[in-house]
Amino acid sequence: MRFRDGVFLSILAVASSPVFGQTDDSGRALPVVTVRGAVPERFLAGQKSQRIDSVSLEQFRFQTLTELLSATTPIAFKVYGPGQLSTASFRGTSANHTALLWNGININQPTLGQTDFSTLPVAGFDQLSVQYGASSSCLGSDAVGGSVLLSDTPDWKQPGLTVTAAQQFGSFQNRNSQIGLRFSSRQSNRWQVAGKTFFYTYRFPNRYPYRERGHYFVEQSNTDQKGFIQDFYFRNDKNHRISLNLWFTDNDLIVSPFDTVVRERTRSQSRRALATYEFKRLTIRAGWIRDVIDFARGNFNRPSHSETDRYIGRAEHEFSRNGGKWELTVRSGVEFSHYQTRVDGYHDSPIGEDRADLFLLSRLQTDRWRFSLNVRQAFVSRFDPPPAPSVGAEYLLLRQNRHSLTGKISLGRSYRVPTLNERYWKDLGNPNLRPENGFNAEAGLSGESSLGDRLKISGELTGFRNRIDDWSYWNPEFGYRVENLQLVVARGIEWSANLQYVHQKWKAGITPGYAYTRSSQERVYNTYAQDIVGKQLAFVPLHSARISVYAALGSTRLTVWHQAVSRRYTTFDNIQYLKGYQLTNLILETQLTTGIMKTRIQGQVNNLFDTLYLNVKRNAMPGRNFAVNLIIHLNTRKS
Amino acid sequence: MNSTKTWKLALALLAVVNWSCNDNDDTGSPSAQPYRSGVIIRNEGNFSQNNGSLSFLNRDAKTATYDIFSQANQRTLTGGVHGYTEVDGKGLILVDNSTAGQDKVEIVDGNTFQSLATLKSPDIENPRYAIRVGANKAYVSCWDVSGDFNNGTFYKDPGYIAVIDLGTNTVTKKIQVPKGPETMVMAGTEIFVGSAGGVKNVTVIDAATDQVKPPIEIGNNPNLIGLDANGKLWISSGREVIRVNPQTKAIENRLKVGTSTTKSPGTFRLSPDLQTVYFVYSFYDAADNFRQKGETYRFSINDTSIPAATPFINRLFSGLGVDPQTGILYAGFTPSLAQAGYVYRYQSNGTLIDSVKAEIGPSGFYFK
């Protein structure tokens, strides 16, 4: 490949362009093919979904998914400390009810059935979208409260090479380094290749200058994070496409590092590899994921070890018919996966398990209507989850030059296959556990309006009700043995809006959002359960709101991120709670271009008002802190 | 016009109510010293959540006041609450955080619960039990930092007794004692210290000089129960209770508790007349997922055997206390550590009086 001089692609310009290279291929030599594998939203008509824009991804590139999703979505995180365990509660559900997909594959830890979002840096993927509500019909197990979708995409449209080096200098001696390159060959008539190599290493020694804030301890911990990403893409004029994606992560957390007797180390390592072959309307995928967790206290040489390998094979076929005024798309697929797990805490080890899924997704689009009808049946060794159908519709209620309004409605069943720990853990696990099953209903309105040439406004209002039965529960009354005890009903309202103003070199925007989430346990299964029936689920705030405001002149931009969370109960009977809090972060950035080098400088203030707020362990989170980020791109691309 | 009048009236009423409320806040009135007399419930909390607390219950009340430390200080205790005792008007709250180096002893005004001082690491590590040993002087038994349970190095050897001067609210000395120091009882000028760390001896300390004296060999993990009506020291160890003469240090009697090979006795409490010992007799049922099961029994200090055959109360409790003023038995019940527990009150004949909702894991009581 030849390096060429070129004008750098403005990051902000990329942000405002729709999506990297998935559309607008028409007129070029290679055939128009949409990337189908990782876009399940297409079949979830009537449900809320949200794409996180690339400006936000760039602003949070030194932070984790927890921080980004807290600032941009109503997902409530249960955080144990900075750089420590962080689990998601989506629409009033538990940490097990959010499916996390990486390029279409669920990467929740199979032993825990959840993801520690603190181990996933925003720099680890290209695109992020959030699917609200149950979507098991499309996404399988765990997609009960909602789903988080990470994906990588090639830069087909921007041939050339970009080398990126980025460094963060933060308070508390925290440092992040990233280095990588992206490339895409020129679009010849025959074939094209593209790819990405990326390495990051984060060191958070967290040397706070204080031990306490407002009489609450600030826990001492340090976290080291390393990651490696390798993506490779190939396509040719015969409609063959091949992609390879690798993502290795290594997260090393030590709590109380200075005390060699009581220090606790949690090391989580994951290796994820995925190969995809697409030909015309057929997609075949093969994947391997290894998740390793080592936990040790005091002596780190003898950790308690947990290791799971997953081998995944999936074949999908899509059929499409265009009848002029309507277009029907039907996608059918089959997935097999084999699990092999060795966990020190299990009775038997290793344990093998096979799972299979059959699914049929369909979508009908007309001028004003969009329908979807999907069904999935999963099969798991020793028991079978219920079938998961879903149906949804969207109707364009209003369509004018400058205004549009869409009504949405959807119904769907969801399920969650019990985790390996829930079934196989010594004594406390329960091999007879049933899969949980949920029923999600939601309806909403979304609209867009242009008020003149400079001002655009959009908004969405959604109401939902999600009923989850056989909710499995590590019963604290029963030595924390896991049982299908509870029935949880979550209902709520979500509102979000966006106002954008553009005038010459000026840009400004406001993005507010609010969520009301009422989630409660409804079954009386013994005498004392009466005290928890109807009570708000622990760590689910009733109200959460966020707003981001920015103003930009050219490539200089000031953004303020603000979030407010109401009190979070810490016990099932709501007798105790952590106080609500508001958190404000600020980021000022600018960009300098010299020749082929583009330098982006960001200054960041986190917790601007030095708010005292507590994590799950009742330790204070850090006060006001700062970071300076330097991102350098060397680019041979023409934009 | 009408609505304006209504508003004015409402405002006037509000002012009066407000003013009368303020009027109550004179020093010396009950609202200024809300915790002068009554029962302090020690809620141990769920260890990993660091949410232990103290509730306050008036003897004639049907509901408790929750988290009184937080109410007085606008911050919560940040750990499990392992002990509470008062020394000359000051309260010592023993707080055990799930993270090492974050344990503490909060010293509060016993009437208002306002924090006076906080003793922290390295003075205080894993505080277990507090006792008044003299004027403005307290001992707090501490395990010190704990190690790896699976490697058999959980209890640091030695542990220590923190000597607290409540005049200056400081730890003035650490007395080294065998590992896992736990319960303490004072007899004369001597403090007898039990252990949870696999030690067979009861440590004896001279409270005047803080010097360790020759120990008494009792049996594994000796637990100090108290002094009976005859001034004799009662100690439990495994499935036995042992009566010791605190002056001569001689073991006078050794009684087996019950005949069960699975159940163990614990949570011993003396009645106000120091004639009766209440205890919980329980086991973890392996056939029922290690659920804790058991009942509450009692014996007289003059009994020659303890059959533990007929329960005094056919229930398992997470804490017991006997009100020295009324003889009423307070019994904590913990449905789980994820929701509030209850305090059941019984007459001294075992008749249930009532139950009051407490907080997470009601495990102990302080009567004042």
Side-chain angles (χ1 to χ4, degrees), chain A residues 212 216 219 262 297 528 531 573, chain B residues 99 120 146-147 340 342 344:
Chain A
E212 291 178 33
Y216 286 95
E219 191 176 40
V262 296
R297 194 166 193 272
Y528 292 95
D531 283 351
D573 57 357
Chain B
T99 298
K120 296 172 196 164
S146 43
Y342 285 83
Y344 289 87

Side-chain angles (χ1 to χ4, degrees), chain A residues 326-501:
Chain A
W326 53 267
E327 187 186 7
L328 176 70
T329 311
V330 178
R331 192 172 179 87
S332 55
V334 57
E335 178 177 317
F336 288 100
S337 49
H338 176 73
Y339 290 68
Q340 189 77 17
T341 186
R342 278 171 289 149
V343 177
D344 285 349
Y346 289 1
H347 258 307
D348 303 312
S349 196
I351 284 172
E353 179 165 300
D354 292 305
R355 299 189 191 179
D357 284 39
L358 285 175
F359 56 89
L360 188 70
L361 316 176
S362 66
R363 175 191 140 107
L364 178 67
Q365 174 115 34
T366 70
D367 186 31
R368 281 184 172 242
W369 283 98
R370 213 179 123 197
F371 296 100
S372 69
L373 180 66
N374 311 310
V375 65
R376 173 182 294 253
Q377 175 66 58
F379 306 91
V380 181
S381 295
R382 292 175 280 280
F383 69 94
D384 295 330
S390 75
V391 56
E394 288 176 21
Y395 179 69
L396 200 55
L397 295 162
L398 179 74
R399 183 172 53 187
Q400 296 178 353
N401 272 349
R402 290 175 168 274
H403 313 288
S404 74
L405 186 67
T406 307
K408 303 177 174 185
I409 186 159
S410 91
L411 301 171
R413 197 161 175 196
S414 64
Y415 65 91
R416 182 175 77 84
V417 177
T419 69
L420 298 174
N421 281 1
E422 283 173 330
R423 282 175 290 151
Y424 299 118
W425 199 267
K426 229 177 264 173
D427 303 324
L428 301 180
N430 182 353
N432 301 319
L433 218 54
R434 295 182 297 277
E436 293 176 358
N437 76 85
F439 184 77
N440 182 70
E442 67 180 84
L445 284 173
S446 75
E448 278 182 20
S449 208
S450 298
L451 309 168
D453 295 334
R454 295 174 189 170
L455 204 58
K456 263 190 188 160
I457 186 165
S458 65
E460 182 157 8
L461 182 71
T462 310
F464 67 89
R465 186 179 190 277
N466 198 355
R467 179 186 190 275
I468 302 137
D469 203 356
D470 274 342
W471 178 288
S472 65
Y473 176 60
W474 296 85
N475 189 357
E477 289 174 56
F478 199 21
Y480 288 95
R481 184 180 160 88
V482 63
E483 295 178 275
N484 287 107
L485 266 189
Q486 301 191 320
L487 166 66
V488 170
V489 180
R491 52 278 197 206
I493 294 166
E494 289 154 348
W495 171 76
S496 60
N498 183 270
L499 185 77
Q500 292 288 339
Y501 173 82

Side-chain angles (χ1 to χ4, degrees), chain A residues 491-548:
Chain A
R491 52 278 197 206
I493 294 166
E494 289 154 348
W495 171 76
S496 60
N498 183 270
L499 185 77
Q500 292 288 339
Y501 173 82
V502 183
H503 181 54
Q504 292 170 354
K505 282 191 150 183
W506 282 95
K507 265 187 178 179
I510 302 176
T511 311
Y514 165 79
Y516 169 83
T517 312
R518 175 85 178 94
S519 184
S520 55
Q521 201 289 119
E522 299 292 343
R523 179 166 292 133
V524 182
Y525 45 86
N526 69 22
T527 317
Y528 292 95
Q530 278 167 359
D531 283 351
I532 65 173
V533 164
K535 298 283 165 47
Q536 180 78 354
L537 244 55
F539 298 105
V540 177
L542 203 57
H543 307 278
S544 74
R546 67 215 64 78
I547 187 165
S548 72

Side-chain angles (χ1 to χ4, degrees), chain B residues 70-244:
Chain B
S70 171
Q71 291 203 14
N73 300 287
Q74 284 76 53
R75 62 186 164 97
T76 61
L77 295 165
T78 52
V81 177
H82 273 302
Y84 179 76
T85 200
E86 288 187 6
V87 179
D88 305 327
K90 291 180 177 180
L92 279 80
I93 311 170
L94 277 49
V95 183
D96 181 20
N97 190 278
S98 59
T99 298
Q102 298 191 172
D103 297 344
K104 58 190 180 182
V105 171
E106 287 281 0
I107 301 176
V108 295
D109 180 314
N111 293 328
T112 64
F113 268 73
Q114 252 143 25
S115 176
L116 303 173
T118 310
L119 308 175
K120 296 172 196 164
S121 169
D123 287 340
I124 300 294
E125 296 279 8
N126 281 309
R128 301 297 301 168
Y129 200 82
I131 187 174
R132 180 187 188 274
V133 300
N136 279 319
K137 184 177 178 184
Y139 279 2
V140 173
S141 55
C142 294
W143 285 351
D144 209 331
V145 285
S146 43
D148 189 348
F149 189 79
N150 293 325
N151 285 337
T153 55
F154 182 73
Y155 295 100
K156 190 166 176 186
D157 198 9
Y160 67 90
I161 306 293
V163 181
I164 296 172
D165 178 347
L166 288 152
T168 59
N169 295 330
T170 53
V171 173
T172 55
K173 198 185 291 184
K174 284 183 177 181
I175 308 169
Q176 290 202 346
V177 292
K179 60 182 177 176
E182 192 86 18
T183 47
M184 295 180 282
V185 165
M186 188 171 192
T189 58
E190 290 176 329
I191 309 298
F192 295 80
V193 187
S195 165
V199 171
K200 288 193 162 52
N201 289 344
V202 164
T203 305
V204 183
I205 302 173
D206 184 322
T209 63
D210 301 327
Q211 295 300 310
V212 177
K213 298 169 103 177
I216 318 170
E217 186 171 337
I218 295 292
N220 208 29
N221 291 339
N223 163 54
L224 278 293
I225 297 168
L227 292 174
D228 70 11
N230 307 317
K232 298 299 165 75
L233 187 61
W234 286 82
I235 302 166
S236 73
S237 166
R239 296 198 171 95
E240 288 180 334
V241 288
I242 298 107
R243 196 178 76 221
V244 171

Side-chain angles (χ1 to χ4, degrees), chain A residues 22 35-49 51 99-105 129-131 134-140 143 147-151 285 314 316 318 331 359 361-363 370 372 374 376 390:
Chain A
Q22 283 192 9
V35 178
R36 291 188 220 96
V39 195
E41 299 101 307
R42 293 188 301 142
F43 293 97
L44 290 167
Q47 268 182 271
K48 182 175 175 172
S49 75
R51 166 155 287 183
L100 175 69
L101 285 95
W102 168 72
N103 293 311
I105 303 286
S129 62
V130 174
Q131 182 65 50
S135 38
S136 286
S137 62
C138 283
L139 306 176
S147 310
V148 175
L149 313 167
L150 317 178
S151 52
R285 325 192 86 187
R314 187 193 287 178
E316 289 168 275
E318 190 163 303
R331 192 172 179 87
F359 56 89
L361 316 176
S362 66
R363 175 191 140 107
R370 213 179 123 197
S372 69
N374 311 310
R376 173 182 294 253
S390 75

